[in-house]
Amino acid sequence: DGWDPDSSEDCTIFNTTFYTRDDAIAIKSGKNPEGNQINRPTKNVRIFDCRSSLRGIAIGSELSGGISDIKIWDCDFFNGKTGFGMKTTCKRGGYIKNVSAKNCGFASVRMYSNYGCNDDGVGDGNLTVVDNIFFENVKVQGAFPFLDKREMFFFTIDVYGFDEEDYYFKNVRFKNLLVYARENKEMQRIRIKNVKNLSFENVDYVDQ
C-alpha cells in the first residue's frame, strides 16, 4: 500500500501520485480480535488531489475499531485496476459511516461484505454497520486497459451488503454519476444487493 492511516484521527493527504502494487490508500482501524479489543477508530480523514494509474482507495478490510467521517475530493483513480473499495467480512464488527467522494474518477465503486482476505482470527460477534455513503460528480468505467491492448472488465458499481436485514448497507447515494461503458460487455453493469435507502440521481452513460 501507499498510505494507510490506521486507528488514527485528523489525517490529511493531498497532491500525491501513487505507484503501488496494492492499494494507493487504505483506511483501517485494526483487525479482529485485537482490533475489537483495542476499539480505536479512524476518523476525520481528508484526501484530495491524489491520483494513481493502477490502484485506488480502500476502506478496510481491517476496520474492527470503526471508521467515520472520510472526505475524498478531486482525485483521479479512473484508469486503474481498482478505484473506490469498501471491504469487510462477517468477522470484523465495527462500522463505516459518513463517507463522501466528490469530483472524482474511479475505475469502479465496489462495496462488499464478503471480502475474504485476512479473515483469520476470532470474530467480533457482530457484523459491520455501513451507513451514509455519498458519491457526487463521479465517473466510473469498469475496465482496466493492459499495455498489450487487452482489457479486464468488472462491475462499474457493486454494492453488496450482508444477508442479515439489520445489517444491510444503508443510505447509499449517487448523484451526477457518469458511466463509461463498452458495447456488449456484460460485466460493466451496476449490481445492488442487500441495501436500504439507495438512490441514484442523474446517471448518464457514455459509450467508448
Side-chain angles (χ1 to χ4, degrees):
D1 293 345
W3 185 64
D4 287 18
D6 192 335
S7 298
S8 302
E9 301 180 19
D10 303 322
C11 302
T12 300
I13 187 167
F14 64 96
N15 191 24
T16 301
T17 300
F18 291 93
Y19 299 93
T20 55
R21 293 175 62 88
D22 210 332
D23 298 315
I25 296 171
I27 302 169
K28 305 176 183 290
S29 65
K31 176 184 172 183
N32 49 292
E34 292 85 358
N36 304 127
Q37 296 165 354
I38 296 171
N39 196 32
R40 182 173 177 179
T42 289
K43 58 186 178 180
N44 298 328
V45 177
R46 305 293 180 258
I47 302 166
F48 61 96
D49 192 23
C50 292
R51 63 209 66 85
S52 171
S53 59
L54 188 58
R55 299 282 185 169
I57 296 173
I59 297 178
S61 64
E62 300 90 336
L63 49 80
S64 298
I67 294 172
S68 66
D69 299 307
I70 312 299
K71 294 186 183 300
I72 305 161
W73 69 95
D74 295 341
C75 288
D76 183 2
F77 299 99
F78 186 68
N79 292 304
K81 284 186 177 180
T82 63
F84 177 93
M86 188 176 292
K87 320 181 268 195
T88 186
T89 79
C90 62
K91 290 184 176 182
R92 288 292 185 252
Y95 55 83
I96 304 171
K97 297 181 179 180
N98 305 327
V99 177
S100 68
K102 298 183 179 182
N103 305 321
C104 292
F106 295 121
S108 63
V109 173
R110 289 184 276 185
M111 302 166 52
Y112 35 89
S113 56
N114 58 349
Y115 188 73
C117 188
N118 297 324
D119 199 28
D120 56 310
V122 178
D124 176 63
N126 295 299
L127 301 178
T128 305
V129 173
V130 177
D131 190 5
N132 193 27
I133 315 298
F134 181 45
F135 299 89
E136 183 175 12
N137 299 332
V138 167
K139 65 178 183 178
V140 294
Q141 69 165 329
F144 175 71
F146 291 96
L147 292 178
D148 61 4
K149 308 301 182 182
R150 293 179 299 120
E151 288 185 305
M152 176 176 69
F153 294 95
F154 32 79
F155 291 116
T156 51
I157 308 291
D158 190 4
V159 184
Y160 201 127
F162 293 103
D163 291 334
E164 290 80 354
E165 188 172 357
D166 288 343
Y167 288 92
Y168 282 7
F169 293 175
K170 295 184 294 185
N171 302 312
V172 180
R173 298 174 293 149
F174 293 88
K175 182 178 181 181
N176 301 337
L177 174 66
L178 183 61
V179 178
Y180 287 72
R182 309 304 203 275
E183 185 177 0
N184 297 323
K185 294 298 181 182
E186 178 65 17
M187 279 296 291
Q188 284 194 294
R189 63 186 190 272
I190 294 174
R191 181 174 71 171
I192 305 295
K193 187 171 183 179
N194 300 340
V195 183
K196 287 184 177 179
N197 299 328
L198 170 81
S199 67
F200 287 90
E201 179 181 347
N202 189 26
V203 179
D204 287 326
Y205 280 83
V206 175
D207 292 330
Q208 283 188 321

